[in-house]
Amino acid sequence: MSEEEDNPLMDNLMFILVLVIAIVIVLAFVWSQMNGAARWSDFYVKQVATSLELSEPGDKIEIDVHQATKIANRNQQLDFQKIFSFNETENEICVALAPETKTCYNYFNDIKVSSHVIISGSFKDTGKNTLALEISSKTPEVK
Amino acid sequence: MKNKKGVIGTQATVFWFLFLVFILVVGLAAGTYIFFGSQYDYRQIDADLINSHIKECLTENNISLNNETFKQEFYSTCRLHQDVVEKNFFVLVELDGKRLYEAGKGDRTQCALSDKNEEYPKCQNTTIIKEGKTIFIETGSNQKSRTRLE
């Protein structure tokens, strides 16, 4: 019997290779699920809606949206100002972290988002991207 | 000819090996998909927030506790979006045990059974006393995020 035929590593090389490929595929799938646009859109739409439900006219809100911008960038959604959109009539917020798809949610508080802008690297001096919101009343204030 | 006996050798186990790898991959993928595929459940937070919002509004404002005018004053004074409340939330306001206003999807039975059935709204209730009258507020939310194509 030759030395090559006795080598157990060579005998099992294919098994090891298949196992490594399978593990890589599983890890890639888990990573894609963890960082998927759908999951993070759902998170951010509810996070921002909750902030709006707690707000009052005159409030200014800043939310860390760094992860959202990273995912949008990866998905070729390069205009960050289009990530968050607000429908004043239906009290609805939508988050689009991938082209041609958006996740929407309603908030009960009947306020108006008079301004929303994503500011690069401004969140509490951490260098993270911020969503800055200004809240106003839908009806003019009576003085 | 060499090695006449046991020619198959370790290769005989290849099918078992592939079967085990298949089970491993499918199991982990299914578990991951189930865990990350479901939405964040914000319904209880929504129900708590709207309940607190209404409680604060009724306590701080002089809304007429009258069947005919309550609805209009309730939405305008409490700054609530009527369509959103009626579509996604459940609101019940009782005055001294009698129904003053009810809106939205759901009822008290569904609220009581929400732990048993995931499709029922998540609810919150509170009681306040104002001018000697007991006001019971029950709120619920069954809102889920919606994905749309642009």
Side-chain angles (χ1 to χ4, degrees):
Chain A
M1 208 177 273
S2 71
E3 197 179 310
E4 190 182 310
E5 286 169 329
D6 281 346
N7 189 340
L9 183 64
M10 289 305 290
D11 284 348
N12 291 308
L13 193 61
M14 277 308 289
F15 291 92
I16 293 167
L17 207 60
V18 169
L19 190 63
V20 168
I21 291 169
I23 288 170
V24 168
I25 289 171
V26 167
L27 289 179
F29 181 75
V30 171
W31 190 86
S32 73
Q33 288 289 314
M34 281 174 68
N35 295 287
R39 176 172 177 261
W40 283 101
S41 297
D42 183 55
F43 170 77
Y44 276 109
V45 81
K46 288 170 180 171
Q47 195 72 29
V48 177
T50 304
S51 302
L52 294 178
E53 287 172 352
L54 285 166
S55 69
E56 289 181 11
D59 285 355
K60 289 182 179 177
I61 303 170
E62 288 192 356
I63 301 166
D64 173 3
V65 293
H66 198 74
Q67 182 70 13
T69 53
K70 269 169 66 178
I71 290 164
N73 194 36
R74 204 171 56 227
N75 289 323
Q76 305 299 315
Q77 177 76 299
L78 299 176
D79 186 355
F80 289 168
Q81 303 307 331
K82 287 184 180 171
I83 294 176
F84 295 91
S85 57
F86 297 85
N87 182 332
E88 189 188 317
T89 318
E90 295 178 16
N91 265 33
E92 187 181 63
I93 172 188
C94 292
V95 177
L97 296 182
E100 295 174 3
T101 179
K102 60 183 180 181
T103 305
C104 301
Y105 201 74
N106 291 106
Y107 49 94
F108 62 77
N109 196 1
D110 206 11
I111 42 89
K112 181 180 172 183
V113 180
S114 50
S115 154
H116 69 278
V117 62
I118 291 182
I119 307 166
S120 294
S122 69
F123 189 75
K124 293 179 181 172
D125 300 326
T126 56
K128 293 183 173 179
N129 298 337
T130 307
L131 172 66
L133 304 171
E134 283 185 18
I135 311 300
S136 62
S137 176
K138 275 188 178 175
T139 51
E141 295 286 332
V142 180
K143 290 181 182 175
Chain B
M1 193 181 284
K2 294 191 285 187
N3 200 16
K4 280 185 180 175
K5 292 178 183 175
V7 174
I8 291 177
T10 53
Q11 305 306 313
T13 58
V14 71
F15 297 108
W16 278 113
F17 173 74
L18 289 177
F19 177 71
L20 289 174
V21 169
F22 177 77
I23 294 290
L24 179 81
V25 170
V26 171
L28 284 172
T32 308
Y33 183 77
I34 290 167
F35 183 75
F36 289 116
S38 57
Q39 292 190 4
Y40 287 101
D41 195 347
Y42 266 53
R43 294 178 299 165
Q44 188 62 57
I45 295 170
D46 263 347
D48 292 351
L49 286 179
I50 195 170
N51 195 290
S52 160
H53 188 97
I54 293 170
K55 179 185 168 187
E56 201 172 299
C57 174
L58 293 182
T59 308
E60 291 176 1
N61 296 288
N62 284 320
I63 297 176
S64 161
L65 300 173
N66 176 314
N67 273 324
E68 287 153 17
T69 56
F70 181 78
K71 179 181 172 182
Q72 196 180 349
E73 271 195 71
F74 175 65
Y75 282 110
S76 59
T77 311
C78 293
R79 224 179 40 243
L80 289 165
H81 193 282
Q82 189 173 345
D83 289 348
V84 171
V85 169
E86 289 177 351
K87 201 170 103 187
N88 300 305
F89 293 87
F90 163 67
V91 173
L92 171 70
V93 181
E94 285 182 351
L95 180 66
D96 289 332
K98 289 177 185 168
R99 196 185 75 172
L100 182 63
Y101 181 64
E102 187 171 353
K105 292 174 181 173
D107 52 46
R108 292 190 70 182
T109 309
Q110 289 189 358
C111 283
L113 294 173
S114 64
D115 288 341
K116 313 270 183 200
N117 190 335
E118 271 300 301
E119 295 304 312
Y120 287 163
K122 299 288 179 194
C123 300
Q124 179 61 275
N125 65 61
T126 188
T127 303
I128 54 173
I129 296 175
K130 191 179 178 186
E131 296 165 5
K133 292 177 178 173
T134 305
I135 302 172
F136 174 79
I137 305 159
E138 179 140 42
T139 54
S141 168
N142 210 7
Q143 185 175 198
K144 289 168 185 167
S145 62
R146 303 166 294 280
T147 302
R148 282 190 216 142
L149 294 175
E150 284 186 302

